[in-house]
Amino acid sequence: MAESLSTILHREVVVTASTGVRWKEITIYTGASASTLQDIKVPESCGGYCYRDADSSGLENSPVRNRFIYWRANDDTLEMVEQSLDVNLSGNHVRYRFQDTPILNGISVHEARNSLVILVPTVASVHRLVFPHPLKLDRREARFATDTSPLSIFYDATVATATEAKNMHMLNPSGSITAHLLTAATHVTSDGEALFVLATDAGGIIQVKMPALGVQGVVQQHELSQSSMMQKLWNGLVPVLIRGVQQDAGTATGIVIHSIHGEDFIFCVCRDHKLRMWSAKTRECILAYSLLEFLSSRDQSLPPVTSTSGHVIKKVINPKNNSFQLCVHLTFPDQNQFCLVKPVYTDSRFHIQHQVTVFGPLEDLVDYCVTADKLYTLWTSQSGETISRVAIIAGVDSDDTESWVEVLLQPQEVADILIPSFRDPRDVYLERIFHPGRFSSQDLLKALNVYRRSLDTALQAESIVSMSNLREEVVNAVESEIRNCALDVEMQEEDYYQLQLEQWSKFYSCCIQYKEVGAKVKGLFSDSVTGLVCLIRKGSVSYVRPCDKLEELYCLPQSQLSDADCEELQLPTDDWSLGQDVMKLCECVRDISNEMTEELSTQFHTEAGMFESPKDVVTPMVDTLFFPPGGDSLLATDVGDRLEEIHNLVSALRVLLKILDLSNQEEDFMLDDSVVDASRQLSCSQLFTSSTSSAILAVCLEQMCTTRLSFCRDLLVLQVAAIRLGDQHGLRPDVSSVVCEDLIPLTGSLIQSYLLLVWASQSVVIGNQNTALEFNVRQLAALEISDTTNVTLSKSNLPSVTLAELFIQGVGGAQGRSILAQIPGIDYRSQAVWAQHLVPLVRTVAKIVWPMSDNFLFPEFLVGSCQYLHLQEYVRLLSSWCEWNVASRRFLLGLCYLHFDEPQKAAQCFTQAGSGVGNETFLSHKLLQTDEEEFHKMEVLYYLKVIRQFEEFNLPDMVIHLAKTAIGAASEDDDNLATLWSKVFKYHLELGHNEDAYEAMIANPEPSRRKDCLRQLLVVLCERGDLQALVEFPYIDLQDEVVNILESRARSVDLATHNYYNLLYSFHIYRNNFRKAGHVMYEHGMRLGRELPGLKGLQRQAQCYLAALNALRLVRAEYAWIVKPVSMSKYSEVSCDFSPSFDTKPFTGCEMVSDEEDEPGISPKHGLDGAEKEAHSLMRKMEILELVDIEKEYILVDARLRLIRRNPDPSLASGPTPGPDEMVGLLVNTGLFDRAIIVAKYFNLTLNTVFENLALRCVHLAKGSNYFMIGDNDQTSEAWDWLQENHFNAGSVQRDKSAADQAWTLLQCYLNSYEDSTARYHRCVSEKLLSHGFSLPTWFINSYKELNCAELLRVYINYDLLEEAAALATEYIHAVTDTLAGVDRIMFNLKGCRLNAQCVWLPYVSIDQLLAALHDHKEQITYKKIYDDLKLTVTMYQDRVERDSRNLSRT
């Protein structure tokens, strides 16, 4: 509800800037003679001006709302500050120095269309300072859309603009001055001309008029004079400044200028107690009125005043009707009074009409200002104390003197501080010195310099850059002084304590002294429109705010309740007796407050903050105040008498307690959000948003809460005392019972609530490092509640502020303004923002912090601003009594413990807070942000939020604990059970609890989650190498999933870094599934051959094939086979890796394979073009691989490895595995004849390549060997390497033979072992030897004879070895002939056939060819003889055969 402008009690709000300000210094040389002006002294002056807006509809969108200028003039220095309570201004401090020219009072500020004009009179010159208007700056900033703070009008102030000739004027260019100027007044006319009126001590008045801005003209200077001709002539001939000092009773002591009906008039109050009115146009005095008429008849013959101050005149403008009045302060030796008069124009002349007379106290007036209904004054008492008083101005024609009401000024700091015995003096003094708003940095710097001068170490001000550095310097200075005083001698603890106390008290006294100097009040100004009242001090400015009605009832003895007050306090206006009862109760409370000592107050605050019941705390105080041990108490008598006068004590108490309770005020009168229009919301959203306003609101909040706390305390004392005084003063038992059982507990709760508000407004924000702030932001993002904590973060290098101020700067102030916009009694278009909006906004912020409500914004703010220590204290202060938001507070306490690395305590708090998720707004709507209404499901969602916090802090054990707690609280059909079991599984697995992780996985009710957990379990156990546990888990119904997952991982990962095939192999072997184990190892080996080139890949491939063979050999023979699925499109590609001669058994048909077995990465439902596949299954060709097939592949890989070992050529290790033919060729080329024979045998290949190559090697070795040299030589040294690799049936290599002999031996061994009846290998060897011109060895010939002599004969013939062929043929014929005689010829493998005929034949064709060849060479004797012998032998054989045939036929 809006505050009434008739509020009589006011209170000062002191806002001390903790950091210094940067002044813009401008020096103006007026040209006046310094020697002439050095003796002129003028009093200090000050004033202020609030902006006016041209739009009378309101100021809700105006940049000049809550914006004002105040100034201080001391000697030749003018300090001006522009302040805004809605925005932070940049460059708003400027200091003008008019060189050696003291400044007069009468400075005025005037607004023009696009500029603001400040008129400054001095003793030698007048100046017009022109600045841009804030509206113009606002348009410029809107055009450039800058994000920086708005600019002050002083931002671009320069010397050039201040010293323009058109804006300054010398009063006497000659420099000779004999008359001194006493006072002045300035004004801007309706034409824009600057009008200066200055009064001299000689009684003259000088008028200076400057042309309007932008208008060419000259400055006019005239002297106002009486209308007589001689006076005008004299004034025209001799200027007043050089006329000499003439003491004149008509000397003006105060001047004001005002325009009436477009004409400017000058009003002067003079020493002769007359009010004179001059026309600025005609420069004539048109009215002289004696103000003594307002005095009693006995005082109307007073002599003229002689003091330098004299009477003072100020003009009063009523903003409602824009009416004009004059307020004249008349000062006399024994009295003073304020006369409010009004110039009235009747009968073609002006008259003075008396309005009100207010008599002032017998004290020295410092300054005063008048608004439409109040008179604000500033006095100095006889003791030198500054006092400010306010009087309500009564209506017209009322001469009744009003009682003055003192403004509650900020009390001076007390040098004596009560230090508890358990605390260190240094900590106490540092807290007090650096408490926000107590001392400015300038005061501390000055005190530090003075304190250090005793040590001769003055500190330069520029060395201090922040309050933290200043704090460090203060500590160092005091500690250094303590060490110097200790003189390095051993001291008792008590002596050191006293020394420490003495030095800190000394420095604190210096701080107080400099603060008192800077806080000296110089004047005040008020604004009738906004209601703003400011006290201008030497070094700062303070604000005067109206108090609410409760503060008046408590602090103002003569306060009364009007109908408006009853409506504001929600009292029935028709129940007059109840209002009187309330007033009598307030009188009792004031009596108790007057008797309350500082010791009792301190004791109450200390004990009430230590979980003591307020009733128990005040009981000893009641004994002290009402029942002293020495006898009766006057307080008890007075209070008892007033209690007897109260008709309804319970109702009166309930009224006061309802007023004190902030939880239910104005809620029923709030506007709905749909009713609050955008204009109203926008207006309130920008109200009091500057940093200065935040500090003001914080101080106001502290003042209001402190006052209400004292009221509650004294009211509780009254209730306890009333119960004990009840028997003596007629208090009925039923009343005592209600007071004791209902009202006292309620009062105690209010006391605890206000204790919390006072604590919040006095506690200093704790600075945090950037890392802590960033982590806190991430933590809140995980909770998803960071939208309410959008505040200025409390970094360690920011100026110290209280929690309340930081809260108001951020989310607290924003919500307070939003609530303010919904209060219907608030006129958001009203220009009286200070008088009507400040106190309601403070009360709204107090309601937000109020603990006995659903509003939980303040503790949320503490979390968002990383104030966890203060949050712990907040929870502690409420834990013993407050029943609101219990679970929410436990939740935030858990965040505190979590922040301070106490996870066990945090988990306990979070668990305790879970019970409140269904009935507390913060937990259900802000934290969970769900529409779920079932408690168990909300509890599970809550635990998921909490678990996320512990995950942010990496606390897996706590996550497991909370997840199990949530599982226990969840219903069976809860959708989040799978998530909780997944959390349990995940963090058990992370901690290495494999068994627990497995159990959590099995317990997961959702199959998809169970599969995900299974996959993660397998992968993690594989990465850790904990394969035994992985293999031994039973898996129950998940074995197929395990296999699929491991196969998928095996097929998707890089074989060079991961090996899941071995794990699969172990998995199948452990379960005696040898066939699948063999299949896995075969697939592994096959992939290794394709994807992992190199020696290691081949070695692993060989091992895989061996493992597959071993596994399949453990299976029954009929099942020792595996299926090799190959895509038809890739079948040829796959099969090309092996020789087409593989003895594989293709499947007898095409097996139907489902789409799920498609290749990885290809969609089972859509083709590569995106078209949907047909529903029928794909036809895949299958291969059946038996043991022999796998053995063949192994043989090839093993041969390849042997090749690489013999020949490290990189090409051998890359590419696909060669086929059998190629492999045999590679082997024989390398000399690995044994392995080549094995490969050939496995793949049913002939050994021709082996024997041909070996024969060739024998030939080369034989040619390169020396018969007499058994050892190695250069030609045979390489042979020993490959000879050692071939040991097949040849025994060990004998080094006593030559390499050639050993090679022939190997060849002989191979022939003996692998030759068949066809003698094909003998033939190929013989051909290879003979083709190289090497004769056949004897052992070879003999072996060949035994196997196939005819073929040997043909070989001889083919290679033209006629002699050897003839000898062989002859020998063979003889051997056959001998067999006819029954003789066995073993050499030719012939047996005798005397008795039994056998099929014996001769190679007649070969013999005929041989004879023919010999016959062709008969000319050679040798061949002729051979021919003849062979021919004879053949003839003899034929004869013998013929003879034997005949004999055989006869028989």
Side-chain angles (χ1 to χ4, degrees):
M1 186 172 295
E3 295 295 322
S4 174
L5 287 176
S6 62
T7 302
I8 186 61
L9 184 63
H10 293 75
R11 190 165 188 171
E12 182 186 16
V13 179
V14 177
V15 178
T16 303
S18 57
T19 57
V21 296
R22 188 183 300 275
W23 290 91
K24 176 178 286 188
E25 304 280 351
I26 298 177
T27 302
I28 300 176
Y29 297 94
T30 61
S33 174
S35 59
T36 304
L37 301 175
Q38 62 182 355
D39 296 331
I40 299 178
K41 302 297 181 184
V42 297
E44 298 181 18
S45 61
C46 57
Y49 175 80
C50 291
Y51 286 95
R52 300 288 179 266
D53 190 68
D55 185 8
S56 60
S57 63
L59 294 169
E60 64 272 9
N61 297 318
S62 174
V64 299
R65 183 185 66 176
N66 264 341
R67 190 163 177 170
F68 61 94
I69 298 172
Y70 69 91
W71 61 86
R72 290 182 293 264
N74 182 15
D75 196 26
D76 63 348
T77 302
L78 173 63
E79 294 180 346
M80 293 189 295
V81 178
E82 184 184 22
Q83 190 69 270
S84 174
L85 300 181
D86 288 348
V87 293
N88 295 322
L89 299 178
S90 298
N92 58 330
H93 290 72
V94 64
R95 181 182 288 134
Y96 285 91
R97 184 166 183 260
F98 299 88
Q99 188 71 34
D100 299 324
T101 307
I103 303 169
L104 297 171
N105 63 352
I107 299 175
S108 62
V109 180
H110 306 272
E111 296 183 60
R113 181 177 181 83
N114 290 318
S115 60
L116 184 130
V117 177
I118 300 179
L119 304 180
V120 182
T122 69
V123 297
S125 58
V126 292
H127 301 264
R128 177 170 57 189
L129 304 178
V130 182
F131 304 97
H133 196 276
L135 293 174
K136 181 180 179 181
L137 291 176
D138 184 66
R139 289 192 294 269
R140 185 178 70 179
E141 292 170 4
R143 185 167 63 252
F144 291 102
T146 58
D147 296 331
T148 58
S149 299
L151 301 181
S152 168
I153 63 170
F154 302 140
Y155 187 83
D156 293 326
T158 60
V159 177
T161 57
T163 56
E164 291 181 356
K166 61 181 179 180
N167 291 328
M168 62 179 297
H169 172 69
M170 285 291 299
L171 296 178
N172 186 19
S174 64
S176 59
I177 298 177
T178 58
H180 295 169
L181 299 178
L182 298 179
T183 185
T186 56
H187 181 69
V188 173
T189 66
S190 58
D191 297 331
E193 296 175 330
L195 183 63
F196 299 85
V197 177
L198 305 98
T200 67
D201 57 355
I205 297 178
I206 301 174
Q207 175 182 298
V208 179
K209 184 179 293 187
M210 287 184 180
L213 293 174
V215 177
Q216 295 293 332
V218 295
V219 178
Q220 302 177 14
Q221 178 175 335
H222 303 280
E223 182 179 352
L224 303 185
S225 61
Q226 300 293 337
S227 58
S228 66
M229 185 60 65
M230 291 302 298
Q231 187 69 27
K232 289 183 178 181
L233 180 61
W234 172 251
N235 293 339
L237 294 177
V238 183
V240 67
L241 291 180
I242 61 174
R243 199 180 304 149
V245 179
Q246 299 177 4
Q247 296 295 333
D248 190 351
T251 300
T253 60
I255 307 175
V256 295
I257 306 174
H258 187 70
S259 295
I260 300 177
H261 303 300
E263 185 176 352
D264 299 317
F265 295 94
I266 304 167
F267 299 89
C268 304
V269 59
C270 304
R271 289 180 177 176
D272 57 1
H273 321 301
K274 289 185 178 181
L275 176 63
R276 290 179 170 85
M277 181 177 179
W278 299 78
S279 173
K281 181 178 180 181
T282 62
R283 300 190 297 277
E284 292 181 353
C285 179
I286 59 176
L287 175 64
Y289 184 82
S290 176
L291 298 174
L292 296 179
E293 296 182 6
F294 303 144
L295 277 66
S296 60
S297 58
R298 63 179 177 85
D299 296 329
Q300 292 184 2
S301 60
L302 293 174
V305 295
T306 57
S307 62
T308 56
S309 59
H311 307 310
V312 181
I313 185 172
K314 293 182 181 291
K315 66 178 178 179
V316 183
I317 305 295
N318 192 330
K320 295 181 180 180
N321 52 20
N322 205 26
S323 62
F324 165 69
Q325 293 177 323
L326 294 173
C327 182
V328 182
H329 175 251
L330 301 177
T331 177
F332 304 104
D334 57 347
Q335 66 177 2
N336 64 83
Q337 64 184 33
F338 296 88
C339 297
L340 193 64
V341 298
K342 181 178 182 180
V344 179
Y345 187 76
T346 58
D347 299 332
S348 301
R349 60 179 298 177
F350 280 96
H351 302 275
I352 296 298
Q353 183 179 6
H354 176 259
Q355 302 290 320
V356 177
T357 297
V358 179
F359 292 92
L362 295 178
E363 295 172 342
D364 295 333
L365 180 68
V366 177
D367 196 6
Y368 75 97
C369 57
V370 189
T371 63
D373 58 350
K374 292 187 181 70
L375 174 61
Y376 296 92
T377 59
L378 197 61
W379 308 83
T380 301
S381 65
Q382 296 179 356
S383 61
E385 181 182 359
T386 299
I387 302 174
S388 179
R389 293 184 175 90
V390 182
I392 297 294
I393 301 176
V396 180
D397 298 332
S398 176
D399 294 333
D400 185 20
T401 59
E402 298 289 333
S403 60
W404 291 91
V405 177
E406 288 192 14
V407 176
L408 302 179
L409 298 180
Q410 182 78 7
Q412 294 184 354
E413 295 289 339
V414 181
D416 296 331
I417 299 178
L418 181 62
I419 299 178
S421 58
F422 57 87
R423 297 203 61 186
D424 186 8
R426 185 184 76 165
D427 296 337
V428 175
Y429 275 101
L430 284 175
E431 287 180 4
R432 195 166 185 85
I433 291 171
F434 289 96
H435 189 276
R438 178 159 283 127
F439 297 105
S440 66
S441 58
Q442 292 87 349
D443 293 339
L444 294 178
L445 281 173
K446 294 174 183 177
L448 187 59
N449 282 328
V450 170
Y451 183 80
R452 279 188 163 180
R453 283 196 186 99
S454 59
L455 307 177
D456 197 21
T457 55
L459 177 69
Q460 297 297 325
E462 56 270 15
S463 64
I464 305 300
V465 296
S466 65
M467 292 299 286
S468 59
N469 291 341
L470 185 56
R471 183 188 183 100
E472 182 179 353
E473 291 290 341
V474 168
V475 172
N476 292 337
V478 178
E479 293 293 340
S480 178
E481 181 67 11
I482 291 174
R483 287 193 299 269
N484 292 339
C485 295
L487 299 178
D488 298 330
V489 297
E490 185 175 353
M491 299 179 65
Q492 296 295 328
E493 183 177 355
E494 294 182 359
D495 296 337
Y496 181 78
Y497 180 86
Q498 291 298 326
L499 178 59
Q500 192 178 20
L501 190 61
E502 176 185 348
Q503 292 301 322
W504 280 106
S505 177
K506 177 182 176 182
F507 177 76
Y508 186 66
S509 299
C510 294
C511 296
I512 292 177
Q513 292 173 10
Y514 276 104
K515 179 178 181 179
E516 291 177 353
V517 172
K520 185 178 180 181
V521 182
K522 298 297 183 181
L524 77 165
F525 80 92
S526 64
D527 181 62
S528 298
V529 177
T530 63
L532 176 66
V533 181
C534 293
L535 300 181
I536 302 176
R537 300 175 179 269
K538 181 177 181 180
S540 62
V541 63
S542 60
Y543 305 84
V544 178
R545 69 170 178 89
C547 295
D548 63 4
K549 194 61 186 178
L550 190 64
E551 289 178 298
E552 284 193 15
L553 292 176
Y554 184 64
C555 301
L556 193 61
Q558 65 271 29
S559 61
Q560 298 294 328
L561 288 177
S562 62
D563 292 343
D565 296 332
C566 292
E567 182 181 357
E568 178 185 347
L569 300 177
Q570 302 179 20
L571 294 176
T573 56
D574 55 347
D575 192 351
W576 179 84
S577 62
L578 181 58
Q580 293 302 312
D581 291 344
V582 171
M583 293 303 300
K584 289 183 175 62
L585 270 180
C586 292
E587 291 176 4
C588 295
V589 171
R590 284 196 297 269
D591 292 340
I592 295 173
S593 175
N594 294 333
E595 297 296 328
M596 188 69 63
T597 62
E598 184 178 355
E599 291 77 8
L600 289 176
S601 179
T602 304
Q603 177 185 355
F604 171 81
H605 285 277
T606 303
E607 295 180 1
M610 301 300 293
F611 296 125
E612 292 289 340
S613 171
K615 180 181 177 182
D616 297 337
V617 173
V618 301
T619 299
M621 300 170 60
V622 172
D623 294 335
T624 303
L625 296 174
F626 288 85
F627 308 101
D632 296 336
S633 171
L634 181 60
L635 177 63
T637 303
D638 295 339
V639 171
D641 293 341
R642 287 195 176 95
L643 289 175
E644 292 178 359
E645 299 174 1
I646 297 177
H647 298 85
N648 194 338
L649 178 62
V650 174
S651 298
L653 286 173
R654 290 188 186 279
V655 168
L656 288 178
L657 293 178
K658 184 179 180 181
I659 296 172
L660 290 166
D661 190 358
L662 297 175
S663 59
N664 55 5
Q665 293 185 8
E666 300 174 350
E667 292 183 354
D668 298 335
F669 306 99
M670 302 293 285
L671 294 175
D672 188 69
D673 291 341
S674 60
V675 180
V676 181
D677 57 3
S679 178
R680 185 184 187 95
Q681 192 67 43
L682 177 62
S683 175
C684 292
S685 66
Q686 300 297 325
L687 184 66
F688 297 117
T689 56
S690 68
S691 58
T692 302
S693 296
S694 299
I696 292 173
L697 292 172
V699 174
C700 293
L701 178 64
E702 179 183 2
Q703 292 175 350
M704 187 192 77
C705 295
T706 303
T707 303
R708 292 185 172 226
L709 175 61
S710 300
F711 191 100
C712 291
R713 176 200 64 198
D714 299 340
L715 187 61
L716 181 60
V717 171
L718 175 62
Q719 296 177 66
V720 174
I723 294 176
R724 297 181 61 178
L725 294 173
D727 296 337
Q728 303 176 15
H729 297 278
L731 192 65
R732 297 194 311 270
D734 58 334
V735 175
S736 298
S737 176
V738 172
V739 172
C740 184
E741 296 177 3
D742 296 340
L743 302 183
I744 288 181
L746 178 57
T747 308
S749 298
L750 295 176
I751 288 175
Q752 298 284 9
S753 299
Y754 280 113
L755 277 173
L756 177 74
L757 266 66
V758 172
W759 166 83
S761 59
Q762 293 179 349
S763 299
V764 182
V765 171
I766 299 173
N768 294 281
Q769 299 297 325
N770 290 332
T771 54
L773 295 175
E774 292 172 0
F775 182 81
N776 190 57
V777 170
R778 293 197 303 270
Q779 180 181 356
L780 294 178
L783 285 176
E784 298 178 354
I785 60 173
S786 57
D787 57 323
T788 62
T789 55
N790 187 17
V791 297
T792 303
L793 296 179
S794 52
K795 298 182 180 179
S796 57
N797 58 348
L798 291 179
S800 60
V801 295
T802 61
L803 289 177
E805 183 175 348
L806 189 64
F807 181 62
I808 293 170
Q809 287 178 359
V811 65
Q815 182 163 345
R817 297 178 190 96
S818 178
I819 296 175
L820 188 69
Q822 302 176 26
I823 300 177
I826 295 295
D827 182 8
Y828 73 99
R829 293 183 179 273
S830 173
Q831 299 182 10
V833 288
W834 180 265
Q836 296 185 3
H837 296 168
L838 178 68
V839 174
L841 181 57
V842 173
R843 193 160 51 231
T844 302
V845 173
K847 285 182 57 179
I848 296 173
V849 186
W850 190 252
M852 292 192 299
S853 67
D854 287 333
N855 200 315
F856 204 62
L857 187 62
F858 183 70
E860 292 180 51
F861 150 78
L862 294 178
V863 174
S865 54
C866 205
Q867 298 297 306
Y868 287 100
L869 278 176
H870 288 313
L871 181 58
Q872 280 185 303
E873 181 64 14
Y874 174 87
V875 176
R876 187 192 72 83
L877 290 173
L878 300 180
S879 59
S880 62
W881 64 274
C882 185
E883 298 179 357
W884 293 80
N885 301 311
V886 176
S888 300
R889 292 200 305 271
R890 297 302 297 176
F891 174 81
L892 295 188
L893 183 60
L895 290 182
C896 293
Y897 286 133
L898 198 58
H899 184 82
F900 293 123
D901 198 18
E902 295 184 85
Q904 290 79 13
K905 292 183 180 179
Q908 183 179 2
C909 290
F910 288 139
T911 305
Q912 294 171 355
S915 60
V917 294
N919 50 25
E920 293 191 11
T921 305
F922 169 75
L923 294 178
S924 59
H925 294 82
K926 199 58 168 297
L927 181 64
L928 299 185
Q929 299 178 4
T930 180
D931 297 332
E932 185 64 53
E933 296 181 357
E934 185 177 346
F935 171 74
H936 293 294
K937 293 185 178 181
M938 294 177 66
E939 191 175 8
V940 172
L941 293 175
Y942 163 78
Y943 277 111
L944 287 175
K945 283 271 189 176
V946 172
I947 287 172
R948 192 179 303 174
Q949 284 296 293
F950 283 94
E951 289 176 328
E952 285 289 330
F953 282 85
N954 193 22
L955 296 169
D957 50 344
M958 293 294 101
V959 173
I960 295 171
H961 168 72
L962 290 171
K964 289 184 176 179
T965 303
I967 291 172
S971 57
E972 294 182 357
D973 59 344
D974 197 306
D975 297 336
N976 293 303
L977 270 178
T979 302
L980 292 172
W981 278 115
S982 299
K983 297 284 187 184
V984 175
F985 162 80
K986 174 183 177 181
Y987 290 101
H988 270 312
L989 185 62
E990 183 178 314
L991 293 173
H993 305 161
N994 298 336
E995 294 289 342
D996 296 329
Y998 173 78
E999 293 176 0
M1001 177 192 70
I1002 296 299
N1004 200 314
E1006 187 175 331
S1008 61
R1009 290 290 186 94
R1010 193 162 56 244
K1011 292 180 181 179
D1012 294 339
C1013 294
L1014 176 62
R1015 181 178 293 104
Q1016 188 176 2
L1017 174 68
L1018 298 177
V1019 172
V1020 170
L1021 291 181
C1022 290
E1023 291 176 351
R1024 292 178 182 169
D1026 198 353
L1027 304 181
Q1028 183 176 358
L1030 187 150
V1031 171
E1032 293 178 354
F1033 282 137
Y1035 296 109
I1036 308 176
D1037 57 344
L1038 295 175
Q1039 290 191 18
D1040 292 340
E1041 293 295 334
V1042 174
V1043 174
N1044 292 336
I1045 292 172
L1046 291 179
E1047 286 181 350
S1048 175
R1049 295 288 297 180
R1051 292 165 182 168
S1052 61
V1053 300
D1054 187 4
L1055 294 176
T1057 56
H1058 298 81
N1059 191 349
Y1060 286 92
Y1061 287 103
N1062 289 350
L1063 178 60
L1064 270 170
Y1065 176 78
S1066 302
F1067 183 85
H1068 291 309
I1069 292 294
Y1070 183 79
R1071 288 160 177 77
N1072 297 326
N1073 197 340
F1074 303 113
R1075 186 175 173 185
K1076 286 188 177 181
H1079 181 273
V1080 166
M1081 296 312 293
Y1082 173 77
E1083 180 181 338
H1084 187 196
M1086 185 177 64
R1087 283 191 60 199
L1088 286 170
R1090 296 176 181 177
E1091 302 175 14
L1092 194 65
L1095 177 61
K1096 291 184 178 180
L1098 290 173
Q1099 290 173 345
R1100 289 175 58 183
Q1101 186 179 16
Q1103 293 172 357
C1104 292
Y1105 286 155
L1106 285 175
L1109 292 171
N1110 291 337
L1112 291 176
R1113 286 191 177 101
L1114 296 176
V1115 184
R1116 292 173 57 182
E1118 58 268 27
Y1119 300 109
W1121 54 271
I1122 61 175
V1123 178
K1124 177 183 178 182
V1126 181
S1127 175
M1128 294 185 65
S1129 61
K1130 295 187 177 182
Y1131 179 73
S1132 59
E1133 177 184 351
V1134 174
S1135 61
C1136 72
D1137 291 345
F1138 310 103
S1139 172
S1141 62
F1142 277 20
D1143 190 15
T1144 59
K1145 300 175 179 59
F1147 197 67
T1148 57
C1150 293
E1151 184 174 342
M1152 305 298 289
V1153 183
S1154 65
D1155 293 341
E1156 294 180 355
E1157 298 180 3
D1158 207 340
E1159 299 182 22
I1162 299 180
S1163 172
K1165 297 183 180 180
H1166 297 83
L1168 297 178
D1169 56 353
E1172 187 173 358
K1173 296 180 180 178
E1174 296 183 2
H1176 64 80
S1177 302
L1178 299 177
M1179 303 293 290
R1180 300 279 183 87
K1181 188 169 183 178
M1182 311 287 291
E1183 286 186 53
I1184 300 298
L1185 298 179
E1186 296 183 346
L1187 279 173
V1188 63
D1189 302 321
I1190 301 175
E1191 287 178 352
K1192 289 178 180 180
E1193 296 190 29
Y1194 168 72
I1195 289 298
L1196 290 177
V1197 174
D1198 179 70
R1200 192 175 184 184
L1201 286 172
R1202 295 174 184 270
L1203 282 173
I1204 295 173
R1205 186 171 62 249
R1206 284 281 300 144
N1207 183 10
D1209 186 1
S1211 62
L1212 294 175
S1214 60
T1217 302
D1221 289 334
E1222 184 180 356
M1223 183 61 71
V1224 170
L1226 293 173
L1227 289 172
V1228 298
N1229 289 337
T1230 312
L1232 300 177
F1233 298 104
D1234 284 353
R1235 188 53 50 182
I1237 292 173
I1238 293 174
V1239 172
K1241 289 294 183 182
Y1242 261 100
F1243 291 94
N1244 298 323
L1245 303 178
T1246 63
L1247 301 179
N1248 292 353
T1249 305
V1250 177
F1251 284 100
E1252 290 175 357
N1253 189 283
L1254 181 57
L1256 182 60
R1257 287 175 180 265
C1258 292
V1259 170
H1260 289 306
L1261 288 174
K1263 290 181 179 180
S1265 299
N1266 191 327
Y1267 178 80
F1268 300 101
M1269 186 175 181
I1270 299 177
D1272 295 335
N1273 55 32
D1274 294 338
Q1275 297 179 354
T1276 61
S1277 59
E1278 295 182 359
W1280 290 110
D1281 295 334
W1282 60 265
L1283 283 172
Q1284 291 177 356
E1285 298 291 336
N1286 299 281
H1287 301 211
F1288 189 79
N1289 293 333
S1292 60
V1293 178
Q1294 301 178 5
R1295 300 291 295 186
D1296 56 343
K1297 294 182 180 181
S1298 66
D1301 294 340
Q1302 192 68 35
W1304 287 113
T1305 303
L1306 182 63
L1307 178 60
Q1308 184 180 1
C1309 180
Y1310 284 160
L1311 288 173
N1312 293 336
S1313 300
Y1314 301 112
E1315 185 62 278
D1316 55 11
S1317 59
T1318 62
R1320 54 182 177 177
Y1321 301 131
H1322 280 75
R1323 179 180 178 83
C1324 71
V1325 170
S1326 62
E1327 289 178 350
K1328 180 63 68 174
L1329 295 176
L1330 295 175
S1331 64
H1332 286 76
F1334 196 86
S1335 60
L1336 301 179
T1338 303
W1339 61 267
F1340 181 81
I1341 296 173
N1342 295 333
S1343 176
Y1344 210 165
K1345 288 178 181 180
E1346 184 178 356
L1347 288 175
N1348 196 338
C1349 182
E1351 187 177 78
L1352 177 61
L1353 178 62
R1354 287 193 295 273
V1355 170
Y1356 279 151
I1357 295 173
N1358 290 339
Y1359 287 91
D1360 295 333
L1361 298 176
L1362 300 180
E1363 295 181 5
E1364 290 81 353
L1368 177 60
T1370 301
E1371 185 179 2
Y1372 185 67
I1373 293 172
H1374 288 310
V1376 172
T1377 303
D1378 292 342
T1379 60
L1380 296 176
V1383 179
D1384 296 336
R1385 296 300 298 270
I1386 299 175
M1387 181 177 295
F1388 292 97
N1389 196 17
L1390 297 175
K1391 293 183 178 181
C1393 54
R1394 174 182 292 273
L1395 299 176
N1396 300 319
Q1398 65 176 355
C1399 181
V1400 178
W1401 59 273
L1402 288 177
Y1404 288 106
V1405 175
S1406 299
I1407 294 174
D1408 290 342
Q1409 291 176 351
L1410 178 60
L1411 290 173
L1414 292 172
H1415 184 269
D1416 293 339
H1417 297 81
K1418 289 178 62 178
E1419 63 274 5
Q1420 297 183 11
I1421 299 176
T1422 304
Y1423 289 111
K1424 183 178 183 306
K1425 183 178 182 308
I1426 294 173
Y1427 176 79
D1428 295 339
D1429 293 341
L1430 178 58
K1431 186 68 175 175
L1432 177 62
T1433 302
V1434 171
T1435 303
M1436 293 176 61
Y1437 171 73
Q1438 290 175 344
D1439 293 342
R1440 177 66 182 270
V1441 170
E1442 183 179 357
R1443 186 173 60 252
D1444 291 344
S1445 298
R1446 288 195 299 269
N1447 294 335
L1448 183 60
S1449 62
R1450 291 189 186 118
T1451 59

